[in-house]
Amino acid sequence: GVAIRVENLTKFYGGPTGTKALEDVDIAIEDCEFISIIGPSGCGKSTLLRILAGLHGFDTGSAAMFDEGVDAPRDDVGVVFQTANLLPWLTVDKNLTLALEIRRGKAAAEAADVGAMVEMLNLKGFEDKYPHELSGGMKHRVAIGQALMQNPRVLLMDEPFGALDALTRDRLNIELLRLWQRDRKTVVLITHSISEAVLLSDRVLVLSERPGRLIADLKIDLPRPRD
Ligand code: ADP
Ligand code: ADP
């Protein structure tokens, strides 16, 4: 089935006399598809992601997830931003269960299998460390873990590794791919790197310069590491 459907989506910042960030965008994303979105700086990639995350309104058109209009953040959607926003006064395991605790209460947070998540993220031994004791790559892994902790059906990622060095980034991308292979989800990844998009995704969507219009929708038909 279709996980995400965006139709004729137009978004202005500051109303119709302001900045037009997206224009007439149409996208359909299948359940469990891995999609990348690329395009020049300022073309509206983050805007689109934030609309899908329920964090921004829009002006015309529609945005739906599993056939429900998107108008607020959803429990079954995990979001990862460019900077890993960990709380500095909480340890790795507390950072991982934070969103669960906020949304579903202390009992839900305590019942969660943090150990399994820590293992999957390759962070064994770091459960009790604070963010300042982690490398950049580790912080980003924790941020992805935060988004995955609620076992979302959809994972939205806005250049999650953009701030990292190329080597760490390649490593995390491979881990991301493994994770996706293990536990298929619908993934929307914003990236600046075409090679990353091609390596990871089933489809690459290209937005034009502002206002962002969908100018290409490319099916990637290559044997990839996961195949
Ligand atoms: P991208 O993620 O592709 O770099 P963005 O979605 O961040 O693009 O921004 C799209 C356009 O909207 C840009 O021209 C940007 O300057 C503008 N924009 C983004 N956020 C805001 C905001 N909060 N207020 C006004 N303009 C914004
Ligand atoms: P603008 O076009 O001026 O940016 P938006 O409607 O996009 O106005 O949103 C402004 C801010 O309000 C967003 O950054 C977001 O934090 C919040 N917001 C907008 N829509 C929602 C929503 N449906 N649910 C929760 N917060 C929202």
Side-chain angles (χ1 to χ4, degrees), residues 44-87:
K45 302 182 294 295
S46 297
T47 301
L48 179 60
L49 200 96
R50 294 179 68 89
I51 289 172
L52 295 176
L55 299 171
H56 266 334
F58 50 89
D59 294 270
T60 56
S62 63
M65 219 172 256
F66 302 111
D67 294 321
E68 282 171 37
V70 176
D71 56 10
R74 298 169 55 114
D75 273 359
D76 56 359
V77 175
V79 188
V80 183
F81 294 103
Q82 188 161 6
T83 51
N85 289 313
L86 309 183
L87 291 183

Side-chain angles (χ1 to χ4, degrees), residues 66-204:
F66 302 111
D67 294 321
E68 282 171 37
V70 176
D71 56 10
R74 298 169 55 114
D75 273 359
D76 56 359
V77 175
V79 188
V80 183
F81 294 103
Q82 188 161 6
T83 51
N85 289 313
L86 309 183
L87 291 183
W89 59 87
L90 293 182
T91 55
V92 165
D93 54 1
K94 296 290 184 228
N95 264 294
L96 284 173
T97 54
L98 181 67
L100 264 185
E101 181 162 346
I102 292 170
R103 286 188 178 179
R104 296 189 197 158
K106 217 177 174 62
E110 275 161 11
D113 193 350
V114 195
M117 183 56 72
V118 163
E119 199 151 319
M120 185 169 79
L121 298 168
N122 242 322
L123 287 169
K124 252 188 125 163
F126 292 87
E127 295 88 337
D128 299 325
K129 301 282 187 209
Y130 289 88
H132 76 269
E133 299 175 286
L134 306 177
S135 71
M138 286 176 171
K139 280 186 234 181
H140 284 266
R141 290 211 292 270
V142 178
I144 289 177
Q146 286 181 315
L148 291 176
M149 221 36 225
Q150 300 179 82
N151 195 22
R153 293 177 78 184
V154 175
L155 189 57
L156 305 174
M157 295 188 285
D158 192 348
E159 294 199 67
F161 314 132
L164 298 171
D165 63 276
L167 201 64
T168 307
R169 199 181 160 122
D170 286 352
R171 257 197 8 242
L172 291 183
N173 278 329
I174 287 165
E175 283 173 23
L176 183 61
L177 203 53
R178 288 228 176 87
L179 210 132
W180 183 82
Q181 283 171 314
R182 244 188 56 152
D183 186 15
R184 304 263 162 152
K185 292 180 188 307
T186 307
V187 177
V188 180
L189 172 74
I190 292 179
T191 175
H192 264 117
S193 159
I194 293 175
S195 57
E196 192 170 291
V198 169
L199 172 78
L200 295 171
S201 20
D202 297 310
R203 260 199 301 155
V204 180

